[in-house]
Amino acid sequence: MKHATFRRVAALLVAGLLAGGAHAANEQYFPLQSYRVGPYAAGGTGFFGGFIDYLQYVNAKGGVNGVKLTWSECETEYVVEKGVECYERLKKGLNGAPAAATNPLSVGIAYATLDRSTADKLPLITINHGRTDSTDGSVFPYVFPLQLNPYSEVSAIVNYIGQKSGGLDKLKGKKIVTLYHGSPYGKETNPILELLAKKYGFELTLIEVPHPGNEQQSQWLNIRRIKPDWVILRGWGVMNPVALKTAKKTGFPVDHIIGNIWSNSEDDAAPAGDAAKGYISITTHPSGTQFPVLQDIKKTVIDAGKGNLADPKRFGNVYYNLGVVNGILNVEAVRLAQAKYGKKPLTGEQVRWGFEHLNLDDKRLKELGAYGLVQPLKLSCADHEGGGAVRFQQWDGSKWNVISDWVQADRKLLRPIIEESSKKYAKEKGITPRDCSKES
Amino acid sequence: MDFFLEVLTGGLLAGVMYSLVAIGFVLIYKASGVFNFAQGAMVLFAALTFVSLVERGVPFWGAFALTLAAMVALALLIERAVLRPLVNRSPITLFMATLGLSYVIEGAAQALWGAQVHGLDLGIADEPLELGGMLLSQFDLFAAGTAALLVALLSFLFNRTRLGLSLRAVADDALGALAVGIRLPRIWAVVWAVAGFVGLVAGLLWGARLGVQFSLSLVVLKALPVLIIGGFTSMTGAIVGGLIVGAGEKLAEVYLGPLVGGGIENWFPYALALLFLLVRPAGLFGERAIERV
């Protein structure tokens, strides 16, 4: 009797395992190093909410050529050590479903897992952030600072200021202050700003705000003394609303402050209340819910009660839409790679090929319902960024309104600097760069 | 000279904001000898509860009363669940308990009310005010007035009421106070509730300034040098320490910062506090501990 029971239980277990295995055999896994608590939870919940909702939407449409997408989360609290621990825990996949790529949305975690990602042959996606020189895919085959690297970001901002001044030649003699977060992220673009100041003849002052930036009186009094034409705000978290409030307090016009890509969300402007009215920032993806892909997500995911956001009012905000854009780019990479390697779950190495061959033109973006939400993007072995353009948006007191067309960074100017830096990295690490002319 | 005065005044007003947080620490330290690391988390909890209630349509004063009730409930819970089981334990044990408590309160606040950032408008205009050629913030002046009122209220409570007498008795000698019939758990609960009230006031003012978000719990980092300089047991010390830290860090950032690459505002108050520790370990107004060995 005991034996019979044991055999029955064993048979059930084996059947279950086989079923589980069969289930996982047609799944592609996304390991998510998310952060839903801690100081940056507002960004984390929005971004990973949008990302997960897009994956759910794709699954509701039958997956990627029948391959279902699966994911699991590991809480990093935006702490680097936890991010690395999560990476190690999740990189091997889930129930047999191979991992496609990691998307930590953290400069610190991205830097800490960069070498591991290359060794493990797992793409590391740093959308709108990360190491600028990782744009050079010949040295960084597994790293993708998609859409916008930090150098492109400031170059586009200077180009916009040039446009507003009546041409880049009119920048000569202008005064620009950059107020930056006191961290490696904040300092990353200082050398490029200095280079652009030399090239265009504007007077640049760099002013640091120590982390977290909840007190900026002295910095803004200094700015008032300098009387700049424009202030570029390279902030993060609480530093942004405090900058706007202190600017108003010290009498600096907020519509002459341009926020960078991490100073551009509703969470950066709204807490500053009236002080933020007129504030300008860059964006790679407008907020709003009018895009067809977002309407479809609403119908199939949100209205079905499956949305990932705790507060559905955040649907369509800047962080959420960045998550959706990130989802689109990840899924497109898988789709492309499937066209080459077969309609099945793929290894990270195969998905890497997909990322490197992303080519989203207006036609494809319209098919995806993401025209206007995602910029046209073409990646290659040599260019892991792809876009390098931004639009400008202005806060009206309750929402962002896009006020410009795409403004392109001066990528020709930036390319030699990026290559110089990536070559230096390759030499330090003993990496032989790939010959991109031989890559297909 | 005008610029110097402007920086100095701005610094003094910012210092008052640090004092507001430091007062919460002083209250608990005075009455129980516990350095309450969770004070920052209490500031966050109070502000987040208040703003979430307001966003759900509760009127301002209703939200204030409900949040105060929540802070008192939290105080009673802390007394019952954390302090009472740890009675007679060493100060470092109690400190570690408050360290853990801060994580619990931060997590609970975010779990309860969500992680997004909220704007908080107290209805005080923050237009720059020109006085004698200097631009001053109306909001900062209001905050300074609030801090002065708070100190006056707390001084009255401590020095002019029967409850205050009990609080001072417990602070002087807990065993002696027990011997004359003062109920220690009740006193602790009262002190933590008052610290909760101070946390609520600090949370509202800081929340209106920064937005209500997790970073509110980090303002404790500004209160630490204030306490070292002013002394852990004096409310006057918390105010004077705040003024010294506020003015010192702003002047240092503007005049010394450019010489060393800027961004010194964070560590300068700690360097200043270190100097005070060397010269006056108990702080400017702190009580010197004299023990028989």
Side-chain angles (χ1 to χ4, degrees):
Chain A
M1 182 63 191
K2 267 186 185 172
H3 278 289
T5 310
F6 175 78
R7 271 200 299 272
R8 229 172 283 146
V9 170
L12 277 172
L13 275 174
V14 170
L17 282 173
L18 283 175
H23 185 61
N26 207 29
E27 285 181 350
Q28 185 77 55
Y29 170 62
F30 285 92
L32 302 183
Q33 297 143 286
S34 57
Y35 42 98
R36 293 180 181 273
V37 292
Y40 305 114
T45 48
F47 175 81
F48 289 100
F51 192 9
I52 289 173
D53 281 355
Y54 185 74
L55 298 181
Q56 293 197 78
Y57 162 70
V58 173
N59 278 346
K61 298 274 173 190
V64 184
N65 295 314
V67 176
K68 289 272 179 186
L69 306 175
T70 180
W71 57 91
S72 67
E73 291 186 68
C74 178
E75 176 65 45
T76 70
E77 290 182 44
Y78 201 76
V79 174
V80 173
E81 306 88 85
K82 289 188 182 177
V84 175
E85 190 189 325
C86 287
Y87 171 87
E88 288 298 330
R89 198 186 302 162
L90 305 181
K91 70 179 185 186
K92 291 188 183 80
L94 182 72
N95 300 330
T102 61
N103 294 265
L105 196 72
S106 153
V107 175
I109 297 171
Y111 268 69
T113 55
L114 192 144
D115 290 343
R116 292 166 195 255
S117 298
T118 309
D120 295 330
K121 298 189 173 176
L122 189 59
L124 167 64
I125 309 308
T126 58
I127 187 167
N128 291 358
H129 68 287
R131 268 187 88 114
T132 302
D133 55 8
S134 65
T135 300
D136 184 355
S138 70
V139 175
F140 296 90
Y142 281 88
V143 190
F144 293 85
L146 295 178
Q147 294 197 122
L148 190 70
N149 68 41
Y151 288 5
S152 294
E153 194 182 324
V154 286
S155 167
I157 292 174
V158 169
N159 286 348
Y160 176 77
I161 294 174
Q163 274 182 20
K164 285 279 171 193
S165 310
L168 286 167
D169 55 318
K170 299 285 191 310
L171 285 175
K172 197 172 172 60
K174 292 255 185 256
K175 285 182 184 174
I176 297 177
V177 165
T178 295
L179 191 69
Y180 64 94
H181 190 259
S183 63
Y185 144 75
K187 292 171 188 169
E188 168 117 22
T189 53
N190 288 353
I192 292 304
L193 280 160
E194 280 162 351
L195 182 93
L196 293 169
K198 215 177 274 175
K199 180 176 162 77
Y200 298 118
F202 61 82
E203 195 182 308
L204 174 74
T205 311
L206 300 167
I207 298 179
E208 180 177 333
V209 174
H211 171 81
N214 52 21
E215 190 45 57
Q216 297 174 31
Q217 182 86 0
S218 47
Q219 286 84 355
W220 282 95
L221 286 175
N222 246 337
I223 289 173
R224 196 158 74 87
R225 193 162 57 159
I226 295 165
K227 293 190 177 71
D229 297 287
W230 293 89
V231 170
I232 298 173
L233 176 61
R234 190 167 173 76
W236 180 228
V238 70
M239 177 182 157
N240 294 318
V242 174
L244 299 175
K245 284 205 156 195
T246 319
K248 191 178 179 196
K249 216 159 65 174
T250 51
F252 188 83
V254 180
D255 59 359
H256 277 62
I257 303 175
I258 300 181
N260 83 326
I261 201 74
W262 300 113
S263 310
N264 76 346
S265 74
E266 289 83 355
D267 292 329
D268 297 312
D274 280 350
K277 256 186 207 167
Y279 167 54
I280 297 170
S281 75
I282 64 170
T283 185
T284 52
H285 55 283
S287 56
T289 59
Q290 69 276 25
F291 306 99
V293 63
L294 283 162
Q295 286 301 313
D296 284 348
I297 290 174
K298 187 171 183 311
K299 257 182 258 161
T300 49
V301 180
I302 309 287
D303 292 349
K306 294 179 197 160
N308 191 265
L309 289 173
D311 178 6
K313 278 190 288 215
R314 300 177 73 206
F315 175 69
N317 78 5
V318 168
Y319 282 132
Y320 183 88
N321 284 5
L322 179 62
V324 171
V325 170
N326 195 56
I328 290 172
L329 299 179
N330 273 267
V331 170
E332 277 301 286
V334 170
R335 203 185 301 277
L336 269 175
Q338 280 187 2
K340 180 176 167 76
Y341 298 105
K343 294 172 183 173
K344 58 182 184 184
L346 303 172
T347 63
E349 193 177 3
Q350 291 166 330
V351 177
R352 188 205 72 79
W353 186 92
F355 275 109
E356 201 158 79
H357 290 80
L358 275 176
N359 185 6
L360 294 172
D361 54 12
D362 286 349
K363 183 173 167 280
R364 182 63 188 142
L365 289 174
K366 277 177 188 161
E367 285 166 7
L368 290 167
Y371 180 71
L373 178 68
V374 185
Q375 62 181 289
L377 207 65
K378 184 169 168 41
L379 270 70
S380 66
C381 162
D383 179 11
H384 276 195
E385 179 192 29
V390 298
R391 292 167 90 178
F392 289 75
Q393 57 182 6
Q394 192 162 32
W395 184 252
D396 68 5
S398 60
K399 65 176 190 317
W400 291 108
N401 298 302
V402 174
I403 55 166
S404 84
D405 204 348
W406 292 107
V407 176
Q408 189 65 49
D410 191 346
R411 300 186 80 206
K412 268 190 195 153
L413 175 80
L414 301 176
R415 186 69 201 182
I417 304 162
I418 290 169
E419 280 180 8
E420 191 187 332
S421 177
S422 65
K423 271 181 196 150
K424 198 173 148 204
Y425 178 85
K427 202 174 167 190
E428 271 170 26
K429 298 275 178 182
I431 297 168
T432 309
R434 290 184 293 161
D435 181 353
C436 283
S437 63
K438 290 180 184 158
E439 293 285 324
S440 62
Chain B
M1 190 61 190
D2 277 357
F3 182 70
F4 173 83
L5 284 176
E6 203 166 56
V7 175
L8 178 67
T9 317
L12 290 172
L13 290 173
V16 175
M17 294 287 285
Y18 304 154
S19 299
L20 267 176
V21 183
I23 288 170
F25 281 94
V26 170
L27 271 173
I28 290 176
Y29 192 82
K30 247 173 106 77
S32 58
V34 177
F35 181 79
N36 174 28
F37 197 82
Q39 188 65 27
M42 285 167 68
V43 169
L44 170 71
F45 185 85
L48 204 51
T49 305
F50 176 84
V51 80
S52 302
L53 290 171
V54 168
E55 284 175 3
R56 281 162 178 76
V58 180
F60 183 93
W61 288 110
F64 189 89
L66 283 172
T67 309
L68 189 57
M71 295 311 289
V72 171
L74 184 68
L76 294 175
L77 191 69
I78 290 170
E79 191 279 319
R80 185 60 62 92
V82 182
L83 298 179
R84 204 177 285 187
L86 292 177
V87 77
N88 278 337
R89 295 290 171 92
S90 64
I92 190 69
T93 306
L94 290 164
F95 170 71
M96 293 308 285
T98 65
L99 190 66
L101 195 61
S102 71
Y103 284 100
V104 172
I105 296 174
E106 280 167 8
Q110 286 191 311
L112 199 61
W113 299 118
Q116 63 266 39
V117 184
H118 305 263
L120 176 58
D121 184 6
L122 296 178
I124 308 152
D126 207 6
E127 300 292 338
L129 200 68
E130 195 161 345
L131 280 180
M134 287 190 300
L135 278 187
L136 292 177
S137 156
Q138 286 183 41
F139 183 87
D140 287 353
L141 290 171
F142 174 82
T146 308
L149 187 67
L150 198 64
V151 169
L153 269 175
L154 292 172
S155 298
F156 180 79
L157 176 79
F158 265 82
N159 298 317
R160 306 276 170 189
T161 65
R162 209 176 153 76
L163 179 68
L165 191 67
S166 307
L167 290 170
R168 281 185 289 141
V170 172
D172 269 355
D173 183 352
L175 279 177
L178 265 176
V180 296
I182 294 172
R183 288 171 59 205
L184 214 52
R186 183 169 159 263
I187 293 297
W188 277 354
V190 168
V191 166
W192 277 76
V194 175
F197 169 69
V198 173
L200 171 59
V201 174
L204 294 187
L205 291 172
W206 273 101
R209 204 173 213 227
L210 310 183
V212 177
Q213 54 183 305
F214 187 89
S215 297
L216 278 181
S217 66
L218 302 179
V219 297
V220 291
L221 298 177
K222 289 283 186 184
L224 294 180
V226 171
L227 291 165
I228 294 170
I229 291 170
F232 281 79
T233 52
S234 163
M235 266 182 287
T236 314
I239 295 287
V240 174
L243 295 176
I244 293 174
V245 165
E249 69 174 19
K250 300 289 175 263
L251 291 171
E253 182 68 51
V254 170
Y255 292 105
L256 294 179
L259 306 176
V260 291
I264 67 172
E265 219 169 333
N266 264 9
W267 59 258
F268 184 81
Y270 284 90
L272 205 60
L274 199 62
L275 281 177
F276 270 83
L277 271 181
L278 293 174
V279 181
R280 213 178 157 86
L284 287 172
F285 295 86
E287 290 162 12
R288 267 189 217 174
I290 300 168
E291 284 179 25
R292 185 177 287 164
V293 284

